[in-house]
């Protein structure tokens, strides 16, 4: 069954969870791995991320969409250039907490966005018991996540829940990814913060073949997961 959690509150145990935060955490993590970062540690708070500061690590984090004080980078995929084998630590308001939460209940956790849509659909394949987890925004449904969930669901075979069908119907209502993302409340926040370029970039469909996967949850710090790359 292909199911969708419209927000993190609906997260449940599943064989595969695909966590989506199109604007922008999962787009940023995907781009980071594609740009040569060795791994991404997703922290569920800025404080947990700061405790991971160490040589060879780059800290990326946002507060109200702009770079958090004391961090090296913000949460923009456009900042993730030339990772050069470093490890990225990423902390965002909604996306990385959703990843950490999914890692606690799902057997396998993949990170999805529009940038890796084709590769993601291949990586999920014909798996049964898939929950696509929309990170949402502050507990509310986020249109851009629902759109991407619908696009992914439409590419997967098998039975669907009503939530998955509803997302597919939403996705069919837009003529392009950019149109869908631009219609979201989160896009308006990014525009107000001077980050409109990120909306265009995160709208690029299947430009990357990288599918981040949670490989380690815990590491002695319960809130942290590391992602590595699977190439579909
Ligand atoms: C989040 O996790 O809430 C978002 O990724 C925020 C952002 O776009 O910086």
């Amino acid at each position: 069954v292909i199911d969708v959690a419209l927000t993190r509150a609906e997260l449940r145990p599943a064989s595969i969870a695909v966590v989506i935060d199109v604007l922008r955490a999962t787009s940023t993590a995907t781009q980071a791995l594609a740009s040569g970062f060795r791994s991404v540690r997703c922290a569920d708070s800025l404080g947990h991320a700061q405790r991971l500061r160490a040589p060879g690590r780059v800290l990326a984090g946002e507060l109200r969409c702009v770079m958090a004080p004391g961090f090296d980078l913000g949460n923009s995929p456009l900042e993730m250039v030339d990772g050069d084998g470093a490890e990225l630590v990423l902390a965002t308001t909604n996306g990385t907490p959703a990843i950490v939460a999914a890692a606690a209940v799902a057997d396998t956790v993949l990170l999805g966005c529009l940038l890796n849509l084709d590769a993601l659909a291949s990586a999920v394949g014909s798996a049964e018991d898939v929950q696509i987890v929309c990170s949402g925004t502050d507990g509310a449904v986020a249109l851009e996540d629902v759109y991407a969930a619908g696009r992914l669901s439409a590419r997967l075979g098998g039975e669907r829940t009503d939530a998955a069908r509803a997302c597919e119907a939403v996705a069919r209502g837009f003529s392009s990814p950019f149109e869908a993302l631009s219609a979201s409340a989160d896009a308006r926040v990014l525009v107000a913060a001077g980050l409109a370029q990120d909306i265009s970039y995160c709208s690029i469909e299947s430009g990357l073949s990288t599918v981040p996967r949670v490989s380690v949850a815990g590491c002695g710090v319960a809130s942290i997961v590391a992602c590595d790359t699977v190439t579909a």
Side-chain angles (χ1 to χ4, degrees):
V1 176
I2 310 300
D3 187 22
V4 176
L6 296 173
T7 70
R8 178 154 59 100
E10 295 171 20
L11 183 63
R12 61 161 176 78
S15 298
I16 298 183
V18 180
V19 181
I20 292 178
D21 180 10
V22 178
L23 294 174
R24 299 167 290 168
T26 56
S27 299
T28 297
T30 301
Q31 182 62 58
L33 291 175
S35 297
F37 282 91
R38 179 162 49 90
S39 63
V40 181
R41 283 177 186 249
C42 298
D44 68 356
S45 70
L46 294 171
H48 278 143
Q50 277 170 319
R51 287 207 283 276
L52 289 175
R53 187 175 281 290
R57 287 187 181 154
V58 176
L59 265 58
E62 58 78 24
L63 193 57
R64 287 182 280 278
C65 292
V66 298
M67 186 173 76
F71 279 64
D72 308 314
L73 299 173
N75 177 33
S76 169
L78 294 171
E79 292 177 274
M80 302 300 144
V81 289
D82 195 13
D84 201 21
E87 187 171 57
L88 187 73
V89 178
L90 180 65
T92 73
T93 308
N94 299 284
T96 57
I99 294 162
V100 172
V105 298
D107 298 337
T108 297
V109 179
L110 304 178
L111 270 53
C113 54
L114 293 166
L115 289 170
N116 69 357
L117 189 62
D118 276 352
L120 182 64
S122 300
V124 175
S126 56
E128 295 176 1
D129 190 23
V130 177
Q131 190 179 41
I132 304 168
V133 181
C134 299
S135 298
T137 301
D138 302 333
V141 170
L143 176 59
E144 69 278 14
D145 293 343
V146 167
Y147 173 81
R151 294 294 312 279
L152 175 61
S153 175
R155 289 182 182 218
L156 302 175
E159 198 184 327
R160 286 153 172 67
T161 63
D162 280 4
R165 289 181 188 281
C167 292
E168 291 183 26
V170 168
R172 284 195 296 272
F174 292 97
S175 60
S176 71
F178 182 71
E179 186 191 5
L181 269 56
S182 298
S184 70
D186 285 331
R188 287 196 288 280
V189 174
L190 289 171
V191 169
L195 295 163
Q197 286 185 101
D198 283 2
I199 303 164
S200 307
Y201 194 77
C202 293
S203 299
I204 296 171
E205 189 175 320
S206 301
L208 302 176
S209 60
T210 299
V211 180
R213 178 185 57 195
V214 172
S215 59
V216 182
C219 302
V221 184
S223 57
I224 304 303
V225 295
C227 300
D228 61 10
T229 303
V230 290
T231 303

